[in-house]
Amino acid sequence: MNKIYPSAKEALSDILKDGQTLGVGGFGLCGIPEALIDAVRDLGVKNLTCISNNAGVDDFGLGILLKTRQVRKMIASYVGENKEFERQYLSGELELEFTPQGTLAERLRAGGAGIPAFFTATGVGTIVADGKDIREFDGKKYVMERALTPEISLVKAYIADKSGNLIFHKTARNFNPPVAMAGKLTVVEVEKVVENGSLDPDQIHLPGIYVHRIVINANPEKRIEQRTVRQAN
């Protein structure tokens, strides 16, 4: 089965629809699927629910989908760098399901593992637990969290072979693997593709069974979210 598509737009054009739930990998602006996010914008789908660690910044990452008003709801753990997100949320234009970062990672991992729900102590006694099932185990209270299974997952990896076995680069390995595992259909953006058998099996971070489509973006921008410099003495 050929998993490689000539462009991000072609990889998404026949599967992306209004109202879908998208899982989007990355941590801040590190390891985000830049070309795939651009393709979502260009295809013009609307009323999306986006599951991601963050909402990008105003002019990059998921911020560009907020700017074009294509996102109806965010399920995220951190949204502090995006002024447009703040404006839309405070004005009631954008729905937010705020989720602790570890809980978000586990909800995605559980979705990929076929576990429908789990209990965690994180959030008990806060608004995070409002309306959720609370149970006691060994004298301690836990809140039930549902797994996440996005209809389409957009993921960034460093290298793929033609079967979709993936290697991630450093910080990009944080949220991209669970996002890839959780998606019912996973599209991966990579910097290079190698022949099957070229990757050391012990170095593969995610097996190709989770990957349905691959696009190549050999020169991603990799923008820095916050640059701090130190003046030389």
Side-chain angles (χ1 to χ4, degrees), residues 33-229:
E34 300 174 20
L36 289 168
I37 293 172
D38 286 347
V40 174
R41 176 198 59 198
D42 295 343
L43 288 166
V45 290
K46 298 185 182 300
N47 297 318
L48 299 172
T49 295
C50 289
I51 305 166
S52 183
N53 163 261
N54 70 101
V57 294
D58 288 304
D59 60 346
F60 200 65
L62 287 178
I64 66 174
L65 301 184
L66 291 169
K67 185 176 181 179
T68 53
R69 310 300 299 276
Q70 292 172 257
V71 179
R72 177 188 64 83
K73 177 180 178 180
M74 282 292 307
I75 302 175
S77 61
Y78 178 69
V79 295
E81 302 296 331
N82 195 308
K83 296 296 184 184
E84 178 60 17
F85 183 104
E86 179 184 11
R87 188 198 67 75
Q88 289 185 26
Y89 174 67
L90 293 177
S91 64
E93 302 169 28
L94 179 69
E95 187 178 348
L96 170 63
E97 185 177 328
F98 206 45
T99 305
Q101 186 159 267
T103 302
L104 179 63
E106 183 62 13
R107 291 179 72 187
L108 289 162
R109 191 204 67 81
I115 299 169
F118 60 92
F119 285 91
T120 176
T122 303
V124 172
T126 74
I127 60 172
V128 169
D130 287 353
K132 297 177 182 176
D133 187 7
I134 305 293
R135 297 192 191 181
E136 189 172 299
F137 298 91
D138 300 322
K140 188 174 181 179
K141 291 183 178 180
Y142 295 81
V143 58
M144 189 181 79
E145 296 283 357
R146 295 292 303 270
L148 293 170
T149 52
E151 291 162 273
I152 299 176
S153 281
L154 309 180
V155 172
K156 168 70 192 324
Y158 178 47
I159 300 174
D161 66 16
K162 291 183 176 180
S163 292
N165 296 304
L166 302 180
I167 293 177
F168 300 92
H169 187 61
K170 297 186 178 180
T171 306
R173 195 176 172 189
N174 277 332
F175 270 90
N176 277 299
V179 168
M181 293 171 64
K184 296 176 182 177
L185 199 159
T186 295
V187 185
V188 181
E189 173 182 328
V190 300
E191 295 178 43
K192 60 176 75 174
V193 174
V194 298
E195 294 294 328
N196 290 334
S198 298
L199 301 179
D200 180 349
D202 286 337
Q203 300 303 312
I204 291 171
H205 297 141
L206 189 77
I209 192 169
Y210 292 107
V211 175
H212 302 90
R213 300 184 179 192
I214 302 168
V215 297
I216 300 172
N217 181 10
N219 298 293
E221 184 176 344
K222 297 184 180 179
R223 192 179 300 187
I224 296 173
E225 189 167 355
Q226 291 189 14
R227 187 186 300 272
T228 302
V229 296

Side-chain angles (χ1 to χ4, degrees), residues 15-45:
I15 57 174
L16 201 60
K17 297 178 176 62
D18 291 350
Q20 285 181 321
T21 298
L22 305 184
V24 184
F27 191 88
L29 296 185
C30 178
I32 63 172
E34 300 174 20
L36 289 168
I37 293 172
D38 286 347
V40 174
R41 176 198 59 198
D42 295 343
L43 288 166
V45 290

